[in-house]
């Protein structure tokens, strides 16, 4: 891994001792441990925030909407007609 950015972190002595012990147990440096832990936590948070959670009522409505027939509105019909006129099939 090439280092392209720097991130400084200040800790109180107790925090540093805890991180040092954990890093030693993992067989890595403090920097490596903090980097891995921060990355893992960040991915977890981003994944959780990207997930959509629906109530039972909202899920039922959503599923019903997916299962119902789709009827394009006039603007979409016109866009499709324009696309058909412009695109030539081989």
């Amino acid at each position: 891994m090439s280092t392209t950015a720097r991130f400084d972190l200040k800790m109180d002595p107790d925090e540093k001792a805890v991180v040092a012990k954990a890093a030693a147990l993992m067989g890595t440096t403090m920097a490596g441990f903090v980097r891995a832990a921060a990355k893992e936590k960040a991915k977890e948070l981003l994944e959780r925030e990207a997930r959509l959670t629906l109530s039972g009522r909202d899920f039922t409505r959503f599923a019903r909407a997916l299962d119902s027939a789709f009827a394009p509105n006039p603007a979409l019909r016109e866009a499709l007609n324009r696309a058909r006129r412009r695109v030539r099939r081989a």
Side-chain angles (χ1 to χ4, degrees), residues 15-37:
E15 291 172 331
K16 184 177 179 182
V18 169
V19 172
K21 284 181 184 178
L25 284 173
M26 296 297 294
T28 188
T29 63
M30 284 180 57
F33 178 82
V34 170
R35 186 173 38 251

Side-chain angles (χ1 to χ4, degrees), residues 35-56:
R35 186 173 38 251
K39 184 177 179 181
E40 181 181 330
K41 189 67 172 181
K43 282 183 172 183
E44 182 183 300
L45 174 65
L46 293 171
E47 182 180 308
R48 187 179 77 221
E49 288 300 310
R51 205 173 302 132
L52 180 65
T53 305
L54 300 174
S55 68

Side-chain angles (χ1 to χ4, degrees), residues 72-84:
N73 64 22
L76 179 57
R77 273 196 288 277
E78 178 56 31
L80 289 170
N81 288 334
R82 271 184 301 190
R84 284 186 192 109

